[in-house]
Amino acid sequence: MAQDPSLPTPAPGADLSIAALHAAYLSGTSPRQTVEAVYRMIEELADEGIFLALRPLADVLADVDRLGPLDPTTKPLYGVPFAVKDNIDVAGLPTTAACPAFAYTPAQTAPAVAALQAAGALLIGKTNLDQFATGLVGVRSPYPIPKNAIDPALVPGGSSSGSAVAVAQGLVTFALGTDTAGSGRIPAGLNRIVGLKPSVGAVSTRGVVPACRTLDCVSVFAGSVDDAFTATRVMAVADPLDAYQRPLALGAPGAVAPGLKVGIPRAGERRFFGDALQEAAFDAALDVVRGLGATLVEIDMAPFYETAALLYEGPWVAERHAATRAFLAEQPDEMHPTTRRVIEGAIGRTATEAFEAGYRLMELKRVTAPTWRAIDLMLVPTAPISPTLADLAADPIGPNSRLGTYTNFVNLLDLAALAVPGPDRADGRAAGVTLIGPRGSDARLASFGRLIPAAIGARIGATAGVMAAPPLTAVAPAGFIEVVVVGAHLSGMPLNGELTRLGGQFVRAVATAPSYRFYALAGGPPKRPGLVRVADQGVSIDTEVWALPPEGFGLFVAGIPAPLGIGTVMLADGTTAKGFLCEPAGLQGAVDISHLGGWRAFVKQAA
């Protein structure tokens, strides 16, 4: 493989982040050199458990030759190496789901993977997993087990074991996993990397071997939240042939709204199963979150734990049986013994049980819904324990079940989740935390989640890389509409949830231009503000700019009561945005509070 010696060549352990790669390409490094370096690193690491299929180097270099010139706008993943869990189809490569007798070679690539390749990403190979994506430990495979990147004595985590270890060892920039019960989060926590599980249905799962088709998500492992979110946004395109996709506007990570309320399990309800070091690491993570300015709010975890129990103790395991029934009937001995034991647990379940469990789940959704009106996001340990390979050899089921404590309820309740590194345990093992929010909160989780590993200088897996959170431009995500709020819709105020439930994202805090008067309108409760533009004697009023997807903006505007309306607000930074304005006729009986400078000051004075 001849190389131009005048050009810089990536070295083992080099920074493979999207930003670093694109900067290197602008400086003269070729994606060809990156790919060659990746293959050298794979060979030098010699972990036979990571990849089940490695594409020939010549094939990946041929992909490089088809890339054309660097254009991050049309190809945001230009020259970025990635891997795919081997229950996701790639045309021409066998899909095994870690079961050789089940293997088939698809003619079509899964839409999620095809979108990444169209964006310039370079597929290196397919990775190992717990067979049929059934497990959270990463050892239920007939192939060699990937070595945990932090401590080889530990399980790698599953089911997306190979994908997580590939990222944690610095072999690829990002890797796809799947997540039904936590398979995109547990391996991230155990290997000190990021695991992003998007809102259910945001990414097409066509071309994915089903585990539980109604709950399955394609997830992303990466060395940073920014890279994971970039890959997710690329994949989140509408697929009209996927009956289970529910497209939504993901937005993008941005500024964090002031006064963030973070829900955490009540002290007496936290489950660590006697693992004191894991519990201490979570306590240390809470200190980090406090240091980032968040307010911690203890919440009742009982209904979340009950929901988690439904996934394997209830009839949802029958979905796994539905996906593998024919194979299990014809070749039962070809299944991994533990996988077979779990899936055969569905045999004998009745339709009556399925309906009863469905009814209970709907009740649990109702019970847990108020939680999201009291907090902006939830923070839990990614894993409550740190099991070793010896632990699993002694008990193949128990540790796996405990690993799902804080993950199993997420997809059942239609939530989004993001696993990030937190402070390591005292023994040096990784101990991550997971942020959870309602469907559509993906960008909000990312905005705050990216700050946690950066605050502690977390290393990326076993590499020398450190997770950073470079400043983000305070603008609305592409396709979103900015809206200025001045009253109870401000962050931390009673009506802010109306914005977040519609997919709203905080953009920036900024005052208006000095062209307005501000009033507390008559009537109430609740008290409402009135912002009026004036020709003279105007002042600046504190506001927040939020951004809504178009459909959310329409619903928001439709709910605005008279005498308020939406107009164009002039801001002190020279920009304009749509925002609340009051009709002059609505000022009858109003109190001029312009001298206070904003609604927060008025509320504080009135308290």
Side-chain angles (χ1 to χ4, degrees), residues 409-437:
F409 61 80
V410 172
N411 286 0
L412 282 169
L413 293 175
D414 203 12
L415 307 174
L418 174 68
V420 299
D424 283 347
R425 293 160 44 113
D427 59 4
R429 295 178 185 175
V433 293
T434 293
L435 292 82
I436 302 170

Side-chain angles (χ1 to χ4, degrees), residues 239-528:
D239 177 11
L241 299 182
D242 183 356
Y244 289 89
Q245 191 186 28
R246 293 183 288 153
L248 56 79
L250 286 178
V256 176
L260 195 73
K261 296 178 181 177
V262 176
I264 60 172
R266 288 176 183 165
E269 296 179 357
R270 298 173 194 171
R271 297 182 177 178
F272 291 97
F273 305 97
D275 193 329
L277 294 182
Q278 202 80 350
E279 184 172 8
F282 182 65
D283 288 339
L286 296 183
D287 289 338
V288 174
V289 171
R290 289 189 191 95
L292 291 171
T295 299
L296 302 184
V297 180
E298 291 196 339
I299 58 175
D300 179 12
M301 290 296 295
F304 294 96
Y305 292 146
E306 183 181 345
T307 304
L310 287 175
L311 193 60
Y312 280 100
E313 296 175 14
W316 271 273
V317 72
E319 274 206 88
R320 296 181 184 272
H321 184 253
T324 58
R325 178 176 57 178
F327 180 79
L328 182 61
E330 295 170 4
Q331 303 182 70
D333 293 336
E334 296 297 331
M335 257 194 193
H336 188 282
T338 305
T339 305
R340 178 179 173 183
R341 176 181 168 185
V342 171
I343 293 177
E344 285 185 337
I347 297 174
R349 294 280 187 181
T350 67
T352 299
E353 290 177 291
F355 277 108
E356 288 174 344
Y359 300 152
R360 182 56 185 157
L361 177 59
M362 293 302 292
E363 181 65 15
L364 288 166
K365 286 183 176 180
R366 184 193 64 79
V367 170
T368 58
T371 301
W372 306 108
R373 293 195 284 273
I375 61 174
D376 295 299
L377 57 88
M378 181 190 297
L379 182 84
V380 297
T382 298
I385 58 173
S386 184
T388 64
L389 295 171
D391 293 334
L392 265 294
D395 180 4
I397 299 294
N400 187 95
S401 298
R402 291 189 282 276
L403 281 174
T405 300
Y406 296 104
T407 61
N408 285 358
F409 61 80
V410 172
N411 286 0
L412 282 169
L413 293 175
D414 203 12
L415 307 174
L418 174 68
V420 299
D424 283 347
R425 293 160 44 113
D427 59 4
R429 295 178 185 175
V433 293
T434 293
L435 292 82
I436 302 170
R439 173 178 171 78
S441 65
D442 307 66
R444 192 181 345 144
L445 301 181
S447 298
F448 188 67
R450 66 194 297 273
L451 304 180
I452 296 175
I456 60 175
R459 287 178 55 197
I460 302 170
T463 76
V466 176
M467 293 191 187
L472 299 174
T473 305
V475 296
F480 278 49
I481 301 170
E482 289 191 341
V483 59
V484 178
V485 296
V486 297
H489 288 96
L490 293 165
S491 56
M493 292 288 183
L495 298 183
N496 183 250
E498 293 183 5
L499 286 170
T500 57
R501 285 191 289 274
L502 292 172
Q505 293 183 220
F506 176 79
V507 179
R508 62 191 184 278
V510 60
T512 67
S515 307
Y516 295 88
R517 302 298 295 180
F518 197 46
Y519 299 87
L521 302 182
K527 277 291 188 182
R528 292 182 296 165

